[in-house]
Amino acid sequence: MSDLVMKNINKVYPNGVKAVSDFNMSVNDGEFVVFVGPSGCGKSTTLRMIAGLEEITSGELIIGGVLSNDIEPKDRDIAMVFQNYALYPHMTVEENINFNLRLHKVDKEEIKRRVDEVADILDIKAYLKRKPQQLSGGQRQRVALGRAIIRNPKLMLFDEPLSNLDAQLRTEMRANIAKLHQKLKVTFIYVTHDQVEAMTMGTRIVVMKDGFVQQLDTPKNLYNYPINKFVAGFIGTPKMNFLEGTLKKDGETVEIRFVGNDAVIKAPYSYFYKTDPKYLDGKTPIVIGLRSEDISLNLDAYKDIEANIKIKVSHTELLGNETLVYGDINLESDGFKDSGTNVIIKGKDEELSEGEIITVALNLNRIHLFDKDTEQTILPRVPECNVVKCEIEGQTVRFLGQTLRLPPAIKGQAGADELHIPTDAIKFGGDIPAKIVDREQIGETCLLAIEVGGRRLFAVVDTPLSKGDDVCISIDTKRISLWKDGTEFVSSLPLVNGFTGTFDRIQGIAEVEKNGKIKHKKIQKFMLSFGDAQFDCPESVTQKLIDALTTKKALRSSYSFECSPYDMAIGKSAMKATVLEILDYGTERFAKCKVGEQVMYVKTDTVLSGAVELYPDLSKLSIVQKDMNIRII
Ligand code: ADP
């Protein structure tokens, strides 16, 4: 069981600063988790909420299976180590360490035994009788650790414990804390702004920025698969190189062009199978990320494909075993600055002079791609979609030597020549033969690479299949879309309906029985309102809204709601809608409805038409408070 679970945790300070937004994480017993990010990103606030030193605005903190939002800090079985040690100056090291045990009137013999054990672990036996001012910074920090671990806590929290120490001592203490974790085998949560500290200590790392979790993963995965440009630039030294450019898919080739350099690199499309297809138009500006070790002065370094570019050298830094070469792909550049064209390359012992033009090779196997504006990866580890060439013949689509019959819901496909198949729309069982050529477990997700008609496709599955298996697949036609030259001819069925509304309180009358008589009593009722429709708000939803926001704020806020077409029904006294058409996907039918200015989809077994009323399943709504963007459910 996860020992610590944080669900939709938000923190808004009384002055209105939103320090933490929608923090979600499960920490297993004995893990070493590091929260890392620049100053002010919400790391300490999150840690302090776990410790109980800061109130949680909304969300659930579950420790050892128990909802702990309101449990007193002293009853949480948690120890915390701070940056400033917080030792009592008038007590000896021994008294500082055993202070808590003495406070709890633990037996004297037992106290002595535990102090000895802790002093042994931390190697501080020699100065148990000294006062803190007679110790060095590193020794004081070890005493602070001793005071924390003597209580045998279930959870140890560290708030930048090493930032007061010099570089050498920090490295030493890093190793000590890692060893301590191995010895104690309890859960450690450690806050730092130093990415090297995070990478060397954590088994998992949470990278934060502006109160939001950017990525939560192992050190290796953060380095290899950063989810956005921020994480890519934050993790690793030297920083990842970011070059602006475009990608253009032309048949089975992709052309890479760069801003500031006229090189055109032609790569097989297979390198870009996972790339979001809308970025392959040769126009959309993107950012190409390459680490300094993935650009080589040796033009034969990455033999499988020629991807060379010219660079103007600005200067070099000799680091002993390697040289960092600073330069720019803009050959007109003057010096090294953050220009969107500058690069740092790891070399050996090359002697290069300022202004020299050199040719380097790029390792396209390790390329990272980001949207220039949102900075999110467009080359995700788990891709959303496969793009294949296709031919349309009436109600059939031919692709990779296969024929797929299109259901009546799909119309207007004539002229399309590209089929987009979402990775979760590939189902096992069917009549399209395929072979599983790779299998990757990525967190909770199993990604299969399958070969169909000689082409690799990706599928997200929950079926236990292995590499080498021959299988047959089918494709969920309500999820496909058909395109030509960047224009969508047929869209997939939307997976969610979005709408806005409010949470209201009304006065109602209830009938109550008292002494055999029916009486009428005034009651308050909470409602959810969408446009002109109002619904009784389920008790659990009311509770969550009030817990998260207080009653006053909950009633004053407006909300975004989301509900799947499967969780909407046709009901009475509900949202007034007009059926626009019935989408028949063969095994399933959906009514496409107009509600006010919005379009919504509802799963239906009957053929409807005209005016209807839509009723969302209120227990399955997802709800976000709009102003502060707080996810309630
Ligand atoms: P970090 O630990 O990542 O440096 P913090 O969690 O300390 O960040 O702070 C996150 C944000 O919350 C910052 O903008 C900070 O100014 C703000 N903040 C922290 N403590 C308080 C407080 N007591 N009152 C108001 N704002 C605070």
Side-chain angles (χ1 to χ4, degrees), residues 170-341:
R170 256 204 325 261
T171 316
E172 205 180 300
M173 282 302 289
R174 234 159 49 201
N176 282 341
I177 292 178
K179 259 193 227 146
L180 186 65
H181 176 251
Q182 277 167 8
K183 248 187 218 150
L184 300 179
K185 299 194 165 49
V186 299
T187 310
F188 277 27
I189 301 188
Y190 188 104
V191 159
T192 177
H193 63 275
D194 178 348
Q195 62 95 12
V196 177
E197 216 163 279
M199 291 294 276
T200 49
M201 296 173 90
T203 44
R204 278 198 303 161
I205 299 175
V206 181
V207 183
M208 295 181 72
K209 184 190 169 213
D210 301 336
F212 286 89
V213 172
Q214 304 290 306
Q215 193 167 357
L216 192 178
D217 218 325
T218 60
K220 202 169 152 195
N221 284 341
L222 285 180
Y223 190 80
N224 290 329
Y225 309 104
I227 206 157
N228 59 29
K229 197 178 153 202
F230 172 77
V231 176
F234 191 74
I235 301 288
T237 351
K239 206 173 135 178
M240 184 186 281
N241 295 299
F242 295 119
L243 302 170
E244 291 175 19
T246 55
L247 300 170
K248 184 174 173 54
K249 180 173 180 285
D250 186 5
E252 288 306 298
T253 304
V254 171
E255 285 179 4
I256 312 171
R257 287 170 200 268
F258 300 86
V259 169
N261 187 300
D262 54 15
V264 181
I265 292 173
K266 290 186 194 246
Y269 174 47
S270 57
Y271 281 72
F272 297 90
Y273 279 166
K274 287 188 175 182
T275 310
D276 184 334
K278 73 171 188 273
Y279 294 92
L280 300 174
D281 60 357
K283 289 191 292 234
T284 311
I286 57 142
V287 174
I288 298 156
L290 280 162
R291 294 204 183 271
S292 55
E293 65 269 28
D294 293 319
I295 305 181
S296 180
L297 291 144
N298 170 8
L299 298 187
D300 294 328
Y302 321 116
K303 279 209 185 67
D304 45 349
I305 168 164
E306 192 181 292
N308 298 344
I309 191 165
K310 285 199 167 62
I311 283 173
K312 184 173 176 187
V313 175
S314 143
H315 62 282
T316 58
E317 269 177 12
L318 183 65
L319 301 178
N321 61 338
E322 62 187 15
T323 303
L324 293 182
V325 180
Y326 291 74
D328 206 299
I329 61 166
N330 181 351
L331 307 182
E332 307 292 314
S333 69
D334 178 19
F336 185 80
K337 49 184 170 294
D338 201 1
S339 53
T341 49

Side-chain angles (χ1 to χ4, degrees), residues 13 15 17 19 38-45:
Y13 279 109
N15 64 355
V17 171
S39 176
C41 70
K43 315 176 286 289
S44 301
T45 302

